[in-house]
Amino acid sequence: MLKIEKSSKYIKKEELEKVTEVIFEYLNESFDIGVKFACENCIRGLNKEYRGKDEPTNVLSFNTDEDSKNGDIVICESVVEKEANELNYDAADLVILYFIHGILHLAGFDHIKDADRDKMEDTEQLILSKLRVDICR
């Protein structure tokens, strides 16, 4: 189930539901996800509190508890806009990428070790290709 707390200016609820469906099909499982699109100050505060980094970031994921893949994803569209301009990507496509990235974190993927990063990025690219979104990382 997908719950959207605050909507995106780039992507409609139905599109997020489609992305979620494709990811769950790939993972062969599903779980509850909440998503919120937050301002830079909000995500900066969360990033500082939970990661010790006093700066805004594009996406954060929070599992509701250790024994569950259920959780919340917070995306900062103003950070995404800046990145889209720098990388010459469509901001809506980057929102999709970071949404995928957040869900994969909830599912247990990470990018601390090189091999894990490669696996996560390969999975992101596979899902993006199924959605016909062209972003190379």
Side-chain angles (χ1 to χ4, degrees):
M1 183 176 112
L2 176 65
K3 179 183 174 190
I4 301 172
E5 186 176 323
K6 185 180 174 192
S7 61
S8 166
K9 66 181 180 180
Y10 291 108
I11 187 165
K12 295 178 181 170
K13 178 183 180 185
E14 296 79 21
E15 293 172 281
L16 289 174
E17 289 170 341
K18 175 64 178 170
V19 173
T20 305
E21 182 182 306
V22 170
I23 294 169
F24 287 168
E25 184 179 300
Y26 174 80
L27 296 174
N28 200 29
E29 64 180 319
S30 65
F31 38 91
D32 293 333
I33 300 167
V35 64
K36 178 180 181 179
F37 295 90
C39 69
E40 280 189 45
N41 285 337
C42 295
I43 206 158
R44 176 185 210 133
L46 292 169
N47 203 23
K48 183 176 181 182
E49 180 177 348
Y50 292 99
R51 298 181 63 227
K53 297 184 178 190
D54 189 14
E55 60 191 16
T57 189
N58 44 37
V59 62
L60 293 170
S61 297
F62 303 95
N63 287 90
T64 52
D65 60 62
E66 291 181 26
D67 299 326
S68 170
K69 294 180 180 179
N70 299 333
D72 296 311
I73 298 166
V74 182
I75 297 173
C76 182
E77 289 186 313
S78 61
V79 171
V80 173
E81 287 172 356
K82 290 174 189 173
E83 292 178 5
N85 287 332
E86 290 171 10
L87 300 170
N88 200 29
Y89 286 130
D90 182 77
D93 289 347
L94 272 185
V95 168
I96 292 169
L97 170 65
Y98 293 132
F99 183 65
I100 293 167
H101 188 85
I103 293 175
L104 292 179
H105 271 303
L106 295 176
F109 286 71
D110 70 45
H111 43 79
I112 296 169
K113 296 178 183 172
D114 288 345
D116 294 335
R117 184 195 68 239
D118 292 345
K119 180 180 178 185
M120 188 172 194
E121 289 179 358
D122 289 347
T123 302
E124 290 168 350
Q125 288 300 313
L126 182 103
I127 293 166
L128 287 168
S129 70
K130 288 178 185 262
L131 296 165
R132 292 182 164 71
V133 175
D134 188 27
I135 291 181
C136 296
R137 290 188 79 172

